[in-house]
Amino acid sequence: MRLRPGLVTDYDSDGAIFRSSVTRLWFGLLLVGAVILGLGVRIPIVPGVFGIQLEADIRLLAVGALFAAIAAIGLNIVTGLAGQVSLGHAFFLGVGAFTGAILGGVEVSRQVFDLETGGFAERTILYGFDLDLIVWLPAAGLVAAAIGLLVAPVAFRLKGLYLAFVTLGLVFLGEHVFREAESYTGGVGVGRDTGVPEVLGFRFDQAGEVFGIFLSKNQKLYFLGLILLLVMGLAAKNLARSKVGRAFAAVRDRDIAAEMMGISLTRYKTIAFVVSSFYAGVAGALLYAAIGRLEPAEFNLLLSIRYLAMVLIGGVATISGSIMGAFFITFLPTMVKWLAGFALFGFISTTGGVLTTAQFEQVMFGLLIVGFLIFEPLGLYGIWIRVRNYWKSWPFSY
Amino acid sequence: MSLLQVLVNGVALAAIYAMVALGFVIVFKSTQVLNFAQPALLLLGAYWVVYFATVWNFPFYIAIAIAVVLSALTGVVVERTALRPMVGKPVFAVAIMTIGINTVLTIFALDLIGVNILGMGDPWGLQTLQMGPVSIGHRQLAAIATAAILVVLLLAFFRYTRFGLAMRASAFDQEVALTAGVSVAAVFAVSWALAAVLAMFGGLFIGTGFGLDRTAGVVALKALPVVVVGGLDSIAGALVGALIVAVAETMTAFYQPQYAEFLGRNFSQVVPYLVMFLVLLVKPHGLFGTEEVERV
């Protein structure tokens, strides 16, 4: 078999996380690259001519992309793997973000004039419990998962578009609750501070020395994100190749046939929803903890669509695709700004030409969804597969 | 304000919902595609009326006629450029595709509308007709009348014209319709044109009276629960759904601040979605939707 690399001869190697030592090597190199970039070192691609470096100003974006990737993996589990279209991802992100903020955030109180006693009294206007990240991060995931479990009974009765509607309704209901629960969420336009990313006294949101290396706040968060993404990504990958993952695929491809084979639709659709919500909850809590502030109006339909776009543009039902998609969408505004610098794109301007950069970004976003669906349904992952296959068969590319 | 007044307001709102919802139903019935681009089509269509009636100073009804033509064209162009390549792709992918279209079109529509509230140039204004204890706005009457006329026209179109028959045939079974010589492509184009025109009328009546602004597209999103309540593929369902949802919404808007204040401000805005949840819990295909027959 040594003459046919990539030939699968048994189930174990078919379901392996890394199918060959080459993939393992590349994965290792990628990881090392990510760590080096995180440390702020320049990686020379062509020495002296071209290299990559994570500049300080885009480091926060990279942090956001890492956390968004976790959420995108969550959406890909329910929508890509299990085939249950969910437009409600923003809602679960919001649940996680607010749970994290309430448990990890600080209580805010204010002197209020009390009419009954005629004096001033201390009144809590924003609840917060100031707990450690070890508590609020899993809690954010678990609360989101619990709500996912509540929604599941409606979800598994429905199929396809009707399910999309219900999850869409969830976003609107959630937005309303977030807006109105002002003593927890701070209210529209005001918002509240998020939980402090602090593990047993180690602050992720302050610059400082770690093992003798000075790291900025964003670098620390970057490594937190990298580690969590690695753990949760591998967990998702394992889920996909386990019994549960195969059941998901069966439900997605033909639910009636799956049921005939003894796969309980109720059970697996519920699992998909719960796991996906857990990922969204964790990612939501971290994403906004990195920014430091969150506001109820952010968790709207547009956010859901952003995550769907990540899944679609990255690659449906692939974990690495979700990560690629998350990075692509997060860096889209930066790319648009960069494009606007070229004369060819003179019609975009920040001062109001035909389109502003923000508008152009939205248009690009829509066009990318449309374009990928028409021309490359497998997403960025599909492009990567084609590039890979080209080199695999080189020089005999048909 | 009496219960009767609340009901009348509900019916007027239902007329607007019904127009937008019919657009969803027609597209879904003939192409099995869910048209998430409706909010953008609504904004764009309403803007054309504003543009021709107030900027070019055409008579209001001429402006409507031009807007109808332009909206129909937009519908056809969208169908040709973006939807045609998606034939045979999963429903989910096509639905997401329409979300993408919506994003692009909305940007242009909002760019045109700008940040101000635009007067519609309509002849009704805020005049009202007093009938005993109930007052009805002229624009509300116009909305109800237009919705009624549109429904009758649509039903007649489906019932008595050859093309309507072709549309019903391809809604029933596309392949069989094709073998019988129906141009399914033309059916798709016409259904998108109809949806865009219906959305335009919805936008028109949202804008009359108080004016059109950037938030008008939200109404199209509330027409989604309407079609779900009625059933995605039923014209009668869209009408009944519109009535249920709109009356529930106006009733909540009136009574909830008095009796259930803890539910928060603007609670009525999410009532359509609550109604949708309740209906789907009982009937997963809506009240009048066709239940999918599953053969093994």
Side-chain angles (χ1 to χ4, degrees):
Chain A
M1 288 308 140
R2 289 180 56 194
L3 292 175
R4 289 279 309 274
L7 183 70
V8 173
T9 49
D10 56 296
Y11 285 119
D12 276 346
S13 52
D14 189 33
I17 291 187
F18 303 110
R19 278 206 181 176
S20 67
S21 47
V22 180
T23 2
R24 199 173 295 130
L25 176 73
W26 277 111
F27 181 75
L29 282 179
L30 200 67
L31 207 60
V32 171
V35 171
I36 292 176
L37 279 181
L39 290 173
V41 182
R42 185 184 171 88
I43 302 180
I45 302 289
V46 181
V49 183
F50 176 69
I52 316 174
Q53 190 180 14
L54 208 54
E55 312 281 349
D57 53 333
I58 55 173
R59 220 171 265 149
L60 184 63
L61 271 181
V63 172
L66 287 170
F67 294 143
I70 297 177
I73 291 174
L75 184 61
N76 221 336
I77 288 173
V78 75
T79 298
L81 292 180
Q84 308 298 308
V85 185
S86 169
L87 285 173
H89 215 56
F91 169 70
F92 293 109
L93 276 166
V95 169
F98 281 115
T99 313
I102 292 163
L103 292 181
V106 203
E107 189 168 276
V108 179
S109 50
R110 192 190 286 157
Q111 296 285 336
V112 187
F113 185 76
D114 198 335
L115 285 175
E116 282 173 23
T117 56
F120 283 96
E122 186 97 344
R123 194 70 56 78
T124 307
I125 53 164
L126 206 54
Y127 291 94
F129 295 91
D130 203 10
L131 296 168
D132 200 280
L133 181 130
I134 293 182
V135 182
W136 65 252
L137 189 61
L142 289 175
V143 170
I147 291 180
L149 189 66
L150 278 180
V151 180
V154 192
F156 60 65
R157 276 167 61 86
L158 305 169
K159 265 196 247 174
L161 293 174
Y162 282 97
L163 181 64
F165 281 127
V166 164
T167 47
L168 176 83
L170 214 55
V171 173
F172 285 98
L173 288 177
E175 219 188 324
H176 179 76
V177 174
F178 295 150
R179 277 165 190 270
E180 291 305 321
E182 278 179 1
S183 47
Y184 292 98
T185 65
V188 185
V190 186
R192 66 169 295 158
D193 285 335
T194 52
V196 182
E198 178 182 17
V199 181
L200 307 173
F202 180 79
R203 297 281 297 247
F204 279 98
D205 59 339
Q206 283 170 352
E209 282 207 356
V210 187
F211 305 124
I213 308 164
F214 182 80
L215 291 179
S216 73
K217 166 197 164 202
N218 286 341
Q219 279 176 318
K220 282 185 178 173
L221 285 168
Y222 176 89
F223 284 111
L224 176 69
L226 197 62
I227 292 166
L228 275 170
L229 177 60
L230 195 65
V231 171
M232 295 189 85
L234 285 177
K237 192 103 186 163
N238 269 320
L239 182 80
R241 69 198 187 115
S242 69
K243 179 188 162 196
V244 179
R246 290 194 304 268
F248 282 171
V251 172
R252 171 192 63 200
D253 291 343
R254 250 272 173 264
D255 51 352
I256 303 171
E259 209 171 9
M260 294 294 290
M261 293 194 300
I263 292 170
S264 159
L265 293 189
T266 316
R267 190 188 142 109
Y268 286 103
K269 283 185 181 178
T270 311
I271 293 178
F273 255 92
V274 169
V275 174
S276 153
S277 313
F278 180 82
Y279 274 71
V282 169
L286 279 170
L287 200 52
Y288 290 91
I291 300 168
R293 207 163 170 80
L294 84 164
E295 209 248 299
E298 279 172 64
F299 302 98
N300 52 18
L301 184 59
L302 259 163
L303 190 70
S304 280
I305 295 173
R306 268 180 79 90
Y307 280 93
L308 264 184
M310 286 180 196
V311 167
L312 282 172
I313 291 173
V316 178
T318 60
I319 305 300
S320 42
S322 319
I323 300 171
M324 286 189 249
F327 271 84
F328 190 79
I329 295 290
T330 316
F331 280 97
L332 188 62
T334 321
M335 285 190 269
V336 167
K337 277 204 199 82
W338 179 69
L339 275 180
F342 288 96
L344 182 63
F345 291 90
F347 62 91
I348 322 160
S349 83
T350 39
T351 48
V354 182
L355 284 174
T356 63
T357 37
Q359 285 174 324
F360 182 67
E361 186 203 323
Q362 284 290 310
V363 172
M364 278 298 291
F365 179 69
L367 286 180
L368 279 170
I369 297 180
V370 175
F372 266 102
L373 277 167
I374 296 180
F375 301 113
E376 186 59 80
L378 288 176
L380 292 171
Y381 182 76
I383 294 176
W384 160 240
I385 293 282
R386 279 210 249 138
V387 170
R388 200 175 71 184
N389 284 350
Y390 176 84
W391 288 109
K392 253 187 185 171
S393 54
W394 194 83
F396 301 110
S397 48
Y398 68 108
Chain B
M1 211 156 58
S2 65
L3 177 64
L4 201 61
Q5 177 72 61
V6 175
L7 283 176
V8 166
N9 288 349
V11 172
L13 184 63
I16 296 177
Y17 283 168
M19 285 186 263
V20 184
L22 279 174
F24 282 111
V25 172
I26 289 171
V27 166
F28 184 80
K29 237 176 125 73
S30 52
T31 66
Q32 310 298 315
V33 169
L34 191 74
N35 174 10
F36 276 110
Q38 204 81 334
L41 292 173
L42 184 150
L43 282 172
L44 208 57
Y47 177 75
W48 293 132
V49 180
V50 173
Y51 182 66
F52 289 107
T54 63
V55 180
W56 283 51
N57 280 320
F58 284 159
F60 184 60
Y61 296 100
I62 305 284
I64 291 183
I66 301 173
V68 165
V69 175
L70 283 177
S71 298
L73 270 178
T74 318
V76 173
V77 167
V78 165
E79 198 275 333
R80 275 289 143 141
T81 50
L83 272 303
R84 190 62 58 83
M86 298 298 286
V87 170
K89 298 269 173 69
V91 212
F92 158 59
V94 188
I96 301 301
M97 157 76 91
T98 59
I99 292 182
I101 297 166
N102 186 49
T103 323
V104 176
L105 283 181
T106 308
I107 290 297
F108 287 108
L110 289 183
D111 204 23
L112 291 172
I113 290 174
V115 287
N116 297 319
I117 298 176
L118 303 174
M120 216 58 196
D122 57 291
W124 305 300
L126 293 172
Q127 292 155 327
T128 54
L129 190 71
Q130 201 69 34
M131 287 199 303
V134 182
S135 71
I136 311 174
H138 287 189
R139 62 200 171 84
Q140 291 180 315
L141 282 177
I144 297 170
T146 312
I149 293 170
L150 284 175
V151 168
V152 170
L153 279 180
L154 278 176
L155 288 178
F157 171 72
F158 287 127
R159 186 97 181 79
Y160 296 112
T161 63
R162 273 185 73 82
F163 202 80
L165 184 66
M167 285 185 81
R168 278 191 289 149
S170 59
F172 189 70
D173 191 327
Q174 282 174 17
E175 280 180 26
V176 174
L178 271 171
T179 54
V182 169
S183 165
V184 175
V187 166
F188 283 16
V190 169
S191 58
W192 272 85
L194 282 176
V197 171
L198 285 162
M200 179 225 106
F201 273 106
L204 171 72
F205 285 106
I206 296 161
T208 53
F210 297 101
L212 179 80
D213 68 355
R214 305 170 73 92
T215 58
V218 177
V219 174
L221 285 177
K222 277 194 282 176
L224 279 169
V226 167
V227 273
V228 178
V229 167
L232 277 176
D233 55 357
S234 160
I235 289 184
L239 299 179
V240 176
L243 265 181
I244 295 175
V245 167
V247 170
E249 188 184 326
T250 43
M251 295 273 256
T252 336
F254 183 62
Y255 290 107
Q256 179 256 331
Q258 301 170 26
Y259 298 108
E261 213 200 330
F262 66 94
L263 290 171
R265 284 156 293 171
N266 289 328
F267 180 70
S268 62
Q269 297 297 306
V270 294
V271 164
Y273 301 101
L274 278 180
V275 174
M276 174 181 82
F277 279 128
L278 291 180
V279 170
L280 283 185
L281 267 178
V282 186
K283 286 185 79 92
H285 291 92
L287 295 176
F288 294 89
T290 318
E291 299 222 358
E292 226 171 290
V293 181
E294 292 179 340
R295 286 201 200 91
V296 179

